[in-house]
Amino acid sequence: MKGRGFMSEDTEQFNSQERWDAFFMSIALVTSLKSKDLNTKVGAVLVDGDNHIVGTGYNGFPKGVDDEQLPSGREGVWLDTKYPYVVHAELNCILNSIVSVKGCTLYCTLYPCNECAKAIIQTGIRRVVYLLDKHHDDDSYVASRRLFDMVGTELCQMNKEAVSGFLRMCELRPYL
């Protein structure tokens, strides 16, 4: 059997940007696996104009905080839930970046909330590629879309089938 490298020849069905988007979204999905959140695992990857990764992040508690010391539940009194303590994947990605993120593209597995949208806009990220939009009608996400629209941030929802197809085309078995 003739070796075909990392990708199969079927990648020609994607244009270059679609291929890069699927590649980086795949990395965001793998990054989400680092999250210890029992309910929602979110990953994010920041990429510069040369398609170099400049940051990664996942949802979790701040650095140095013992995961066992804080609540992980979603219901009850707000201070007794995870929500006031978790840093979202998008913000972690920005904070973990190794260079300025101005002009970068953010790949995230879940559409950003309004708080993350503000950080994305303030840091000059020009494009957001997301996979899921499961909170589309919640106020926080409506506000997020309004903010992105006001400043002209490019938004692109990835097709799940495109990401799945990309992953199927990867030939990692010879390396495992």
Side-chain angles (χ1 to χ4, degrees), residues 9-173:
E9 291 153 10
D10 295 333
T11 57
E12 297 306 316
Q13 70 182 341
F14 294 111
N15 72 35
S16 183
Q17 189 61 57
E18 288 172 334
R19 188 169 42 234
W20 282 116
D21 287 350
F23 175 73
F24 291 123
M25 186 59 71
S26 298
I27 294 172
L29 284 165
V30 170
T31 302
S32 75
L33 299 175
K34 292 281 294 168
S35 174
K36 294 179 183 174
D37 192 306
L38 302 173
N39 301 296
T40 307
K41 295 185 181 299
V42 182
V45 176
L46 267 167
V47 178
D48 69 12
D50 293 322
N51 290 320
H52 296 141
I53 295 173
V54 298
T56 62
Y58 53 90
N59 57 319
F61 296 132
K63 285 182 186 178
V65 173
D66 182 358
D67 293 345
E68 303 301 318
Q69 298 288 319
L70 291 174
S72 60
R74 300 187 298 180
E75 298 187 21
V77 177
W78 190 66
L79 287 175
D80 294 334
T81 69
K82 66 181 179 178
Y83 298 114
Y85 310 107
V86 169
V87 180
H88 287 184
E90 302 90 336
L91 185 57
N92 256 331
C93 192
I94 292 167
L95 295 172
N96 291 334
S97 64
I98 56 174
V99 296
S100 168
V101 299
K102 185 174 184 176
C104 286
T105 296
L106 177 70
Y107 293 86
C108 45
T109 58
L110 189 61
Y111 188 87
C113 72
N114 67 308
E115 293 299 320
C116 290
K118 291 185 271 188
I120 289 165
I121 292 165
Q122 285 296 99
T123 56
I125 294 168
R126 67 170 179 80
R127 182 171 179 250
V128 175
V129 180
Y130 61 96
L131 188 59
L132 302 174
D133 189 9
K134 64 182 189 176
H135 304 292
H136 183 83
D137 295 322
D138 292 358
D139 288 349
S140 172
Y141 297 86
V142 172
S144 175
R145 281 190 296 284
R146 284 182 186 170
L147 288 168
F148 285 141
D149 187 52
M150 287 176 174
V151 298
T153 302
E154 181 184 344
L155 300 172
C156 176
Q157 184 168 15
M158 284 287 309
N159 180 309
K160 286 188 227 177
E161 288 75 30
V163 177
S164 296
F166 176 85
L167 291 170
R168 281 192 301 276
M169 287 186 290
C170 294
E171 295 182 5
L172 298 176
R173 283 169 289 191

